[in-house]
Amino acid sequence: MSKRDDFNQLVENFYKRNQINKNNDEKYMRGFRLKLGKFISQEQLKEHPKIQNIIVDCINKDYKYYSEELIKDFFIKFHIQFDEQLIKRRQELEKVVYFLNVLNKDTYKSNSSDDMVNLYIKVNDLPNEYFKQLSTVMDIEVKFERYLAGSKDYEYYTEEIYRKERELQIALWTKRLKNKKILVLIDDYSGSGSTIDDFISKIKDYIPNNIKKIFVVCVHITEGAKVRIKKSLEKNCFEGQVVYYECSSKYFENKPQDELLIEKFERDIVKPSREKDILGFDSTESVVTTYRNTPNNTLSLFWSDNPNEIAWKPLFPRDHKDGKLHTGYSKWVTEKYKLKWFIKINQIPDEKKDKAIVLIYVLNNGKQHALVTEIELSKIICYTSDIEIQECLDEQLIEKTTDNHYKISNFGSTFLEDLGLENSKWKQINFEFNKKGEQKEEEFYFKF
């Protein structure tokens, strides 16, 4: 079998095993074949064939990708079975159940659980009133926790304020939940179980005694998280059950030598920004991505990008909850809104926008390594950069040099000239943006 046949089989197996439709256009699946080819053929892997074999084997046999359709299907099947079992117990779902999202300590930040509950409600055609959120409860408990820890931001808070706020919310939730018997917490992934454990522990005193059971529903969960959540339910005096589509152990649980190789590779080559993300956060060793994001519990080589080094381009780059970028990105990324404004103000046709961005970027950064170019462009034009770069190569707008750089071709120069962008430099883009910014801001205008 040729290398091309082997690669085609690898892609085929990944799609089939994860039940991915070939027409899937989710952000990670867009141009997946091209991205995967680049990922496993990086120079760092050619220099470490054992690592390359471990990674290819993982993608071929084990790496989990959860498409939106697969998650919807899981939610529908769970709901049908859940409803049927309630009926057997002579209970009506609408009378005894509320669905909750799992909140972390910063409740103002949207998280995956928010999206999962909304998706669950939507695919099962349930009224929004079935969904409740205990954000005020979490805020009270977190404020008090930080006050006790001596945080200067919460010096104003006192035990008296806490007591009054707490009593008010307990009374409110006792009334809201008085006729209910079951709460269902929904999330897409739990790696350590700490977030769910903390959430249950913080809301327990606000839940009246008529609530008999708490179900925790996760698309994917680790063995460690499952054990921790079950203990959390028990210690907080809830009957409960953990329901999941799939449960996994540490990826290298029975492969200590492979674990050592990958740990060294991530430490020396991938270089995630935090030491605790080596082998995935807290050494969780997951190999999981959902259509929304890649958990930081996943092996960092699959999601961590580091523009400081000409080193590593991940297959499933992670969107961080706080929106922070890895240190070292250039102005082209950290202030990408200026470049996008520049493209908009020059009235570049939609079908040419991304190519224009690629060409302007290469025009200004042609001396840097191709990998850095690809990594930065992936942050500027969001996951489709590989496709746009390949199209620019196919149309001979850019060329790849023998020393692994990109440069503008004569065709590329003509392309920019036709758009009036042949002299576009960051200094000019920044100047025009700031100059326009000093003028009176335009009114928003909408046309439907």
Side-chain angles (χ1 to χ4, degrees), residues 232-278:
S232 179
L233 291 168
E234 184 179 340
K235 77 180 179 183
N236 289 300
C237 303
F238 290 114
E239 294 180 34
Q241 191 171 340
V242 180
V243 183
Y244 48 86
Y245 180 85
E246 186 159 329
C247 182
S248 62
S249 302
K250 285 192 173 187
Y251 186 64
F252 298 114
E253 187 173 48
N254 300 311
K255 302 174 185 176
Q257 293 304 314
D258 288 355
E259 181 181 61
L260 289 173
L261 287 172
I262 294 297
E263 180 179 6
K264 187 176 188 310
F265 185 80
E266 292 192 338
R267 194 178 303 280
D268 296 344
I269 303 298
V270 179
K271 299 182 180 179
S273 57
R274 304 185 305 176
E275 176 76 14
K276 57 187 175 182
D277 286 332
I278 300 289

Side-chain angles (χ1 to χ4, degrees), residues 52-67:
Q52 186 179 49
N53 289 338
I54 293 169
I55 292 172
V56 170
D57 193 57
C58 175
I59 294 167
N60 190 42
K61 299 176 182 176
D62 301 297
Y63 202 98
K64 295 297 300 185
Y65 176 81
Y66 292 99
S67 66

Side-chain angles (χ1 to χ4, degrees), residues 381-433:
I381 52 181
C382 300
Y383 300 103
T384 61
S385 62
D386 284 313
I387 301 170
E388 297 302 334
I389 289 171
Q390 189 59 47
E391 286 188 1
C392 288
L393 286 168
D394 291 344
E395 295 176 23
Q396 300 180 5
L397 301 175
I398 58 175
E399 299 169 355
K400 201 168 188 179
T401 64
T402 54
D403 56 348
N404 232 359
H405 296 72
Y406 288 116
K407 69 174 185 177
I408 295 283
S409 69
N410 291 334
F411 291 117
S413 297
T414 301
F415 183 95
L416 288 178
E417 287 173 9
D418 290 343
L419 297 174
L421 303 175
E422 67 274 16
N423 296 315
S424 301
K425 302 289 184 181
W426 177 257
K427 186 175 182 181
Q428 173 205 355
I429 294 169
N430 190 54
F431 174 79
E432 289 193 23
F433 181 90

Side-chain angles (χ1 to χ4, degrees), residues 21-82:
N21 188 300
K22 293 293 177 64
N23 297 320
N24 186 304
D25 196 40
E26 292 163 356
K27 64 182 182 181
Y28 289 122
M29 289 297 100
R30 216 171 298 143
F32 177 73
R33 175 184 291 270
L34 174 62
K35 294 174 187 175
L36 177 60
K38 287 187 173 183
F39 177 69
I40 62 177
S41 62
Q42 292 180 80
E43 289 299 322
Q44 292 74 17
L45 290 183
K46 291 178 181 178
E47 295 168 3
H48 297 83
K50 288 184 179 179
I51 301 292
Q52 186 179 49
N53 289 338
I54 293 169
I55 292 172
V56 170
D57 193 57
C58 175
I59 294 167
N60 190 42
K61 299 176 182 176
D62 301 297
Y63 202 98
K64 295 297 300 185
Y65 176 81
Y66 292 99
S67 66
E68 184 175 4
E69 286 306 310
L70 190 150
I71 294 175
K72 284 180 178 178
D73 186 60
F74 168 59
F75 285 165
I76 290 170
K77 288 177 179 176
F78 166 77
H79 188 76
I80 290 171
Q81 295 175 52
F82 182 45

